[in-house]
């Protein structure tokens, strides 16, 4: 069946090429009509017929294939079942012959009769080559053979032999197939009598009979049948040499499937499929089981022979399809010719109309939709001719309007970019005035900023105005509501004055007209909550500006308000930043001074406390000593807090500098280990170091590195109640890596980032009870970053924590503030 898809593929690939082949032949010379539409019509007709025929043919072949396969498998299954029934009948007949040999009672007088019966059995059943009888106790009494002397009353004990035990227990015994002296296959059949005191009859059966059974099964010309036992060994085959070689077929797929089916609770006779035979050829296989013996009869036929009638039918169907496709191609060419000619005329006429020949008319006389379409084209050409002149006018006017809009938008974009390019208020205001004069095509401009406290407009920026006019305006106080311009600004509306000489006389009106200006436009600069000021442009020619220019100025004014506000906010933020920076430096300097002033008397207190505890002034009473010891401990704790605050304030004030010298990381770790070993021992913790060998000498601030490592190690011991604390030091890629690992309570992921901040601790009662200012990790982070390194933590709640930091082996002096 492997050829079936290839045949269908050839048909499918050949069908679309049919129209091209016909078009290239000398019979169809339609060069004038050839084109994409013509090919589409032909391909459509041929394609529809092709799809219909191929689909129908494919379904027919598919159903024919399954019906033929089912029929062939059914025939093979029936043959296999017939052979299995014949083999079962053969074994049943032997069982019937053995049955009457077990009926005589066991006495000494019956031995001769049993011998005679055994000889008669050998004559009646040629397949039995040897016959034995055992008494109820398993002693051999008779042995008759075709190839050896008969033995009577030997008394050999077979009571433990499997043949006797299973025959006695099951009344019937089938032994496994075996080969005697590398010849034909044999098997043992044992039968016990119905009574308890009956013995057992055992026959050795030559299975050469099976060869006659399978040789008589004819399956086509090259089909064959064979039998395998329960182990998958070949016990019957038309080629007897394969049987004599004790061939094992258990690895064949069909044998595996049949044995698996036979091993189930319900055997499955007739299971079929395509598989490979012993020679490696593909065969259609069916089988039938002999449940009593565990044997399986297979009937197989080569696939090529099994499907030969189907292949012939497929070839006949293919020829019919090819003939039908040829007729479809001819019909497609005829129909396409009838349809494409008027369409070509429509295309040519439409092309001439499209090229400007509006006098062109299309003449088609088909009496169908194509003729109606041609009439529509003719009407369209007439109407196009009428409206063409008017359309050109409209297009020209609209193009001019669009060009003007594009210019205005481009100018507005340039103005917005220029205004927003600076955050200095004076620069922004000057830019706004200059760009406003430019886009409005006026002579001069000014910006007035409204002072809400004074209720006055103040001149803040100008462009194109003479110095005398600027001086005059600065001397005039422009109050809200006193002039027409001021009233318009207060009313939050744009004002346009065509001729300033028609206004009532006022100092402002006289100063402007004296400078030669005749017209004015004032645009308010507005925010949602208040008036920012006013943008004013002036012209020396009387008259009004176009509305489009007024709209453009108002849009520009709205953007200018944002630019002014951004510049003011930037100035305020910059000023606030400078103030905060100065205040921060004052705070840091104050903390540094206060920490230094607090540390001096505290050191004196601790010194006198130590002298008293050392009995320098005599032996103090026991109660006083315990109080002094608490004073000394708390004083030390307070001194540590003051030192942390002092370090932090120095860092923030930019006063902390690294003292860079060469150092040994090995000695740094051992110094820290010696300093806190007693603290770990007092809590019963295992404390160890892991230092990589041959560490290079580093260059950095050794005292500050010891301070960082002491802080990390002290925290690890402080927060670990059981387990161990380990310091690990190594070097790679021109950097030291130091890690402090503990088995403490761990840190939540949300707290891991903030613990390196100032005055930060994990917010839990178990950690708050440990004390501390929350500055140690912050200072450690600043010191490590000043060396050019980094510090981080890896932790899981309940699984301990690992604080690590890396340092360049050769550190350079960094800025004082991290």
């Amino acid at each position: 069946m492997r050829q079936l898809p290839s045949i269908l593929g050839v048909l499918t690939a050949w069908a679309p090429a049919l129209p091209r082949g016909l078009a290239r032949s000398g019979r169809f010379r339609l060069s004038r009509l050839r084109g994409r539409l013509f090919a589409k019509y032909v391909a459509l007709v041929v394609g529809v017929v092709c799809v219909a025929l191929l689909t129908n043919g494919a379904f027919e072949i598919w159903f024919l294939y399954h019906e033929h396969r089912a029929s062939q498998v059914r025939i093979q299954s029936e043959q296999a079942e017939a052979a299995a029934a014949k083999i079962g009948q053969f074994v049943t007949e032997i069982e019937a012959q053995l049955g009457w040999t077990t009926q005589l009672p066991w006495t000494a007088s019956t031995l001769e009769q049993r011998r005679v019966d055994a000889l008669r059995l050998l004559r009646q059943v040629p397949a039995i080559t040897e016959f034995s009888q055992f008494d109820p106790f398993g002693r051999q009494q008779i042995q008759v053979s075709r190839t050896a002397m008969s033995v009577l009353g030997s008394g050999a004990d077979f009571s433990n032999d499997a043949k006797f035990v299973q025959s006695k227990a099951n009344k019937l015994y089938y032994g496994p197939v075996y080969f005697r002296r590398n010849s034909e296959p044999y098997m043992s059949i044992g039968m016990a009598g119905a009574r308890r005191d009956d013995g057992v009859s055992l026959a050795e059966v030559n299975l050469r009979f099976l060869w006659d059974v399978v040789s008589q099964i004819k399956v086509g010309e090259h089909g064959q049948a064979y039998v395998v036992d329960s182990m998958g060994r070949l016990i019957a085959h038309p080629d007897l040499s394969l049987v004599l070689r004790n061939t094992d077929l258990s690895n064949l797929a069909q044998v595996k499937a049949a044995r698996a089916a036979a091993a189930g609770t319900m055997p499955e006779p007739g299971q079929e499929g395509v598989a490979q035979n012993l020679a490696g050829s593909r065969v259609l296989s069916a089988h039938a089981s002999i449940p009593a013996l565990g044997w399986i009869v297979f009937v197989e036929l080569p696939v090529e022979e099994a499907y030969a009638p189907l292949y012939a039918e497929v070839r006949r169907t293919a020829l019919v399809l090819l003939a039908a496709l040829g007729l479809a191609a001819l019909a497609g060419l005829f129909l396409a010719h009838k349809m494409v000619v008027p369409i070509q005329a429509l295309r040519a006429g439409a092309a001439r109309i499209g090229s400007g020949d509006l006098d062109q008319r299309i003449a088609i006389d088909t009496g169908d939709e194509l003729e109606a379409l041609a009439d529509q084209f003719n009407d369209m050409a007439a109407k196009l001719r009428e409206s063409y002149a008017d359309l050109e006018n409209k297009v020209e006017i609209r193009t001019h309007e669009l060009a003007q809009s594009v210019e205005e938008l481009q100018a507005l974009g340039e103005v917005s970019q220029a205004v927003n390019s600076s955050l200095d208020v004076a620069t922004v205001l000057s830019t706004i005035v200059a760009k406003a004069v430019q886009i409005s095509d006026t002579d001069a401009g000014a910006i007035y900023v409204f002072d809400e406290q004074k209720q006055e407009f103040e001149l803040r920026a100008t462009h194109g105005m003479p110095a005398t006019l600027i001086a005059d305006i600065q001397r005039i106080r422009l109050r809200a509501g006193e002039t027409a311009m001021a009233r318009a600004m207060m009313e939050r509306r744009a004002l346009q004055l065509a001729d300033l000489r028609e206004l009532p006389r006022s100092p402002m009106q006289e100063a402007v007209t004296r400078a030669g200006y005749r017209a004015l436009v004032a645009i308010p600069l507005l925010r949602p909550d208040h008036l920012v000021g006013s943008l004013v442009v002036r012209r020396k020619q009387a008259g009004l500006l176009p509305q489009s220019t007024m709209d453009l100025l108002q849009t520009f004014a709205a953007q200018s308000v944002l630019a002014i506000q951004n510049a003011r906010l930037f100035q305020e933020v910059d000023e606030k930043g400078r103030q905060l920076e100065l205040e921060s430096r004052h705070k840091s300097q104050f903390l540094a001074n206060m920490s230094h002033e607090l540390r001096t008397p505290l050191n004196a207190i601790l010194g006198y406390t130590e002298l008293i505890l050392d009995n320098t002034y005599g032996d103090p009473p026991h109660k006083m000593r315990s109080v002094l010891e608490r004073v000394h401990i708390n004083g030390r704790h307070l001194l540590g807090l003051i030192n942390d605050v002092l370090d932090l304030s120095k860092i923030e004030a930019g006063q902390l500098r690294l003292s860079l010298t060469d150092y040994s990381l090995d000695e740094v770790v051992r110094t820290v280990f010696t300093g806190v070993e007693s603290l770990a021992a007092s809590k019963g913790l295992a404390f160890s170091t892991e230092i990589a060998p041959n560490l290079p000498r580093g260059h950095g601030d050794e005292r500050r590195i010891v301070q960082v490592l002491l802080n990390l190690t002290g925290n690890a011991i402080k927060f670990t109640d059981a387990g161990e604390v380990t310091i690990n030091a190594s070097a790679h890629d021109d950097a030291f890596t130091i890690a402090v690992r503990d088995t403490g309570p761990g840190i939540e992921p949300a707290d891991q980032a903030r613990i390196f901040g100032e005055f930060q601790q994990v917010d839990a009662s178990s950690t708050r009870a440990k004390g501390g200012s929350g500055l140690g990790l912050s200072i450690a982070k600043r010191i490590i970053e000043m060396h050019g390194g980094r510090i981080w933590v890896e932790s899981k709640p309940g699984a301990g924590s690992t604080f690590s930091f890396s340092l360049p082996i050769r550190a350079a002096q960094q800025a004082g503030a991290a």
Side-chain angles (χ1 to χ4, degrees):
M1 197 58 196
R2 190 180 295 176
Q3 294 179 0
L4 184 59
S6 63
I7 294 174
L8 295 176
V10 170
L11 290 176
T12 305
W14 180 87
L18 181 61
R20 294 194 298 271
L22 291 174
R24 284 194 295 267
S25 67
R27 301 175 187 175
F28 300 92
R29 301 190 179 279
L30 302 173
S31 58
R32 188 175 67 85
L33 301 179
R34 285 185 193 145
R36 286 178 292 180
L37 187 59
F38 182 81
K40 285 179 182 178
Y41 277 123
V42 175
L44 178 62
V45 174
V46 175
V48 170
V49 176
C50 178
V51 170
L53 292 177
L54 286 179
T55 303
N56 181 67
F59 275 110
E60 287 186 0
I61 293 172
W62 180 256
F63 288 119
L64 180 62
Y65 160 70
H66 282 285
E67 291 172 0
H68 181 81
R69 173 173 171 170
S71 174
Q72 186 64 43
V73 170
R74 183 171 62 253
I75 294 172
Q76 291 180 217
S77 298
E78 291 173 355
Q79 291 176 323
E81 291 172 0
K86 187 177 291 187
I87 295 172
Q89 181 64 30
F90 166 70
V91 175
T92 302
E93 291 176 357
I94 294 177
E95 294 173 3
Q97 294 293 335
L98 285 178
W100 57 265
T101 63
T102 63
Q103 297 176 3
L104 288 175
W106 280 101
T107 62
S109 61
T110 62
L111 287 179
E112 182 60 27
Q113 179 63 38
R114 290 178 180 275
R115 187 184 70 80
V116 173
D117 292 340
L119 292 174
R120 185 171 60 181
L121 177 64
L122 293 182
R123 286 194 301 272
Q124 292 177 350
V125 187
I128 299 178
T129 60
E130 186 176 299
F131 176 78
S132 301
Q133 279 193 315
F134 307 92
D135 62 16
F137 305 103
R139 293 188 295 271
Q140 189 184 54
Q141 300 297 336
I142 294 176
Q143 181 178 4
V144 178
S145 175
R146 294 183 187 276
T147 59
M149 296 293 292
S150 300
V151 179
L152 293 178
S154 67
D157 187 7
F158 285 87
S159 59
N160 293 324
D161 191 280
K163 299 176 182 179
F164 175 79
V165 173
Q166 294 187 22
S167 298
K168 193 69 175 174
N170 302 322
K171 301 303 180 182
L172 186 62
Y173 165 73
Y174 297 109
V177 177
Y178 66 92
F179 292 83
R180 182 180 294 177
R181 294 186 296 275
N182 297 325
S183 62
E184 296 90 347
Y186 288 81
M187 72 172 292
S188 300
I189 299 178
M191 181 176 288
R195 299 184 300 272
R196 294 187 60 185
D197 56 350
D198 288 340
V200 174
S201 295
L202 182 67
E204 302 297 329
V205 182
N206 189 333
L207 300 181
R208 185 183 178 87
F209 163 78
L210 301 179
W211 183 83
D212 297 331
V213 175
V214 299
S215 297
Q216 294 174 3
I217 299 176
K218 297 299 181 182
V219 187
E221 295 182 5
H222 301 92
Q224 58 187 8
Y226 58 90
V227 184
V228 299
D229 64 3
S230 60
M231 302 301 293
R233 294 179 302 168
L234 186 66
I235 61 176
H237 194 278
D239 186 356
L240 189 58
S241 63
L242 294 176
V243 179
L244 297 180
R245 289 200 296 268
N246 194 11
T247 305
D248 185 5
L249 301 182
S250 60
N251 288 326
L252 293 182
Q254 61 270 38
V255 176
K256 289 181 179 179
R259 290 179 63 194
T265 56
M266 292 293 290
E268 298 181 9
Q271 181 174 348
E272 72 283 344
V274 177
Q276 288 185 342
N277 61 9
L278 188 60
S281 302
R282 289 169 55 82
V283 294
L284 189 63
S285 176
H287 73 270
S289 300
I290 308 174
L293 300 174
W295 298 351
I296 305 173
V297 180
F298 287 91
V299 177
E300 295 180 346
L301 182 66
V303 170
E304 297 295 331
E305 183 178 346
Y307 293 144
L310 180 62
Y311 295 154
E313 181 65 25
V314 170
R315 285 191 289 272
R316 288 193 294 271
T317 303
L319 291 175
V320 173
L321 288 176
L322 292 177
L325 290 175
L327 292 175
L330 292 174
L333 289 171
F334 177 75
L335 293 175
H337 177 267
K338 288 295 185 182
M339 297 180 67
V340 168
V341 169
I343 293 176
Q344 289 280 18
L346 280 172
R347 184 188 65 80
R352 287 193 291 271
I353 292 173
S355 63
D357 186 5
L358 299 181
D359 294 326
Q360 171 66 31
R361 295 296 180 264
I362 303 172
I364 294 179
D365 187 13
T366 59
D368 54 16
E369 287 83 356
L370 291 176
E371 183 178 351
L373 182 60
D375 294 339
Q376 291 293 330
F377 268 104
N378 294 333
D379 293 342
M380 179 187 68
K383 292 179 180 178
L384 284 175
R385 183 179 181 84
E386 294 173 1
S387 62
Y388 184 72
D390 184 55
L391 181 61
E392 282 187 346
N393 258 348
K394 292 180 179 179
V395 168
E396 185 176 354
I397 294 171
R398 186 58 180 161
T399 302
H400 177 72
E401 292 176 352
L402 288 175
Q404 186 177 358
S405 298
V406 169
E407 291 177 0
E408 292 176 353
L409 289 175
Q410 184 176 0
L412 185 61
E414 293 175 355
V415 168
S416 299
Q417 181 179 2
V419 168
N420 293 321
S421 62
S422 174
L423 292 175
D424 179 67
V425 176
T427 303
V428 168
L429 294 179
S430 298
T431 304
I432 290 173
V433 175
K435 294 299 179 180
V437 171
Q438 176 185 343
I439 65 176
S440 63
D441 193 22
T442 53
D443 300 311
I447 284 184
Y448 297 87
V449 175
F450 183 66
D451 189 336
E452 294 185 353
Q453 292 182 352
K454 298 179 180 179
Q455 290 292 303
E456 292 180 354
F457 288 94
E458 297 180 358
L459 181 63
R460 296 289 297 274
T462 62
H463 178 77
M465 291 173 56
T468 54
L469 177 59
I470 296 174
D472 291 340
I473 293 176
Q474 287 176 342
R475 286 194 297 270
I476 300 170
R477 301 183 64 181
L478 187 60
R479 297 184 178 276
E482 289 185 351
T483 64
M485 184 185 73
R487 287 194 301 271
M489 295 301 100
M490 295 304 298
E491 294 173 3
R492 295 171 173 253
R493 61 184 178 86
L495 174 67
Q496 186 170 193
L497 300 177
D499 192 346
L500 297 177
R501 292 179 299 181
E502 295 178 358
L503 293 177
R505 295 180 63 84
S506 67
M508 175 65 75
Q509 188 264 356
E510 292 179 356
V512 173
T513 54
R514 189 166 52 248
Y517 298 104
R518 299 287 302 278
L520 173 146
V521 175
I523 307 293
L525 302 178
L526 303 173
R527 291 194 62 197
D529 53 346
H530 66 278
L531 174 66
V532 176
S534 176
L535 171 62
V536 178
V537 293
R538 297 182 175 90
R539 289 194 306 167
K540 294 184 178 181
Q541 181 180 357
L544 299 176
L545 292 178
Q547 185 59 41
S548 58
T549 303
M550 291 292 296
D551 295 339
L552 193 62
L553 283 173
Q554 289 183 354
T555 302
F556 174 62
Q559 294 185 357
S560 300
V561 171
L562 294 178
I564 295 170
Q565 187 64 23
N566 290 341
R568 287 180 175 177
L569 290 176
F570 177 79
Q571 282 188 342
E572 292 177 2
V573 169
D574 187 54
E575 183 63 27
K576 292 293 184 182
R578 286 195 294 270
Q579 293 178 3
L580 289 175
E581 182 181 0
L582 180 60
E583 292 174 1
S584 177
R585 288 186 176 276
H586 290 166
K587 180 264 296 181
S588 299
Q589 186 64 43
F590 171 76
L591 286 176
N593 294 337
M594 288 303 298
S595 298
H596 181 73
E597 294 298 327
L598 289 173
R599 195 164 54 170
T600 300
L602 185 57
N603 281 326
I605 294 172
L606 293 174
Y608 283 119
T609 305
E610 289 176 357
L611 290 175
I612 295 173
L613 291 174
D614 291 340
N615 300 327
T616 303
Y617 301 107
D619 189 10
H622 178 71
K623 290 185 178 180
M624 182 183 296
R625 177 175 291 275
S626 63
V627 172
L628 289 174
E629 288 175 349
R630 288 196 296 272
V631 170
H632 187 265
I633 292 172
N634 290 323
R636 282 289 181 186
H637 178 66
L638 180 59
L639 182 60
L641 295 179
I642 293 174
N643 286 334
D644 288 345
V645 172
L646 180 59
D647 286 343
L648 181 63
S649 61
K650 285 183 177 180
I651 293 173
E652 290 183 345
Q655 297 177 356
L656 183 64
R657 291 289 185 272
L658 299 179
S659 178
L660 302 180
T661 58
D662 290 343
Y663 66 91
S664 169
L665 183 60
D666 191 324
E667 294 179 2
V668 168
V669 174
R670 297 189 187 282
T671 299
V672 173
F673 179 82
T674 303
V676 298
E677 182 180 15
S678 60
L679 180 60
S682 66
K683 297 187 67 174
L685 301 177
F687 187 33
S688 61
T689 61
E690 298 174 357
I691 304 174
N694 303 321
L695 289 177
R697 290 189 64 80
H699 184 74
D701 193 329
E702 180 177 2
R703 184 173 69 86
R704 294 297 181 181
I705 297 173
V706 169
Q707 178 183 350
V708 171
L709 189 54
L710 275 173
N711 180 272
L712 297 180
T713 308
N715 285 347
I717 295 173
K718 179 169 63 174
F719 287 100
T720 302
D721 296 327
E724 63 177 351
V725 175
T726 303
I727 304 176
N728 179 282
S730 60
H732 54 84
D733 296 337
D734 298 326
F736 289 128
T737 300
I738 301 95
V740 179
R741 184 174 61 253
D742 63 60
T743 58
I747 303 172
E748 294 287 345
D751 295 327
Q752 292 179 18
R754 67 183 186 85
I755 58 175
F756 290 102
E758 299 169 7
F759 305 102
Q760 296 292 329
Q761 288 182 320
V762 177
D763 192 14
S765 58
S766 59
T767 56
R768 286 294 186 187
K770 306 294 184 179
S773 63
L775 292 175
L777 290 178
S778 173
I779 294 172
K781 179 176 182 294
R782 302 279 187 105
I783 292 174
I784 295 302
E785 289 175 349
M786 290 176 67
H787 278 82
R790 68 184 186 93
I791 186 170
W792 68 94
V793 62
E794 298 172 356
S795 179
K796 291 183 179 180
S801 305
T802 300
F803 282 83
S804 307
F805 63 90
S806 64
L807 292 171
I809 295 178
R810 307 295 296 179
Q813 180 69 49
Q814 303 292 318

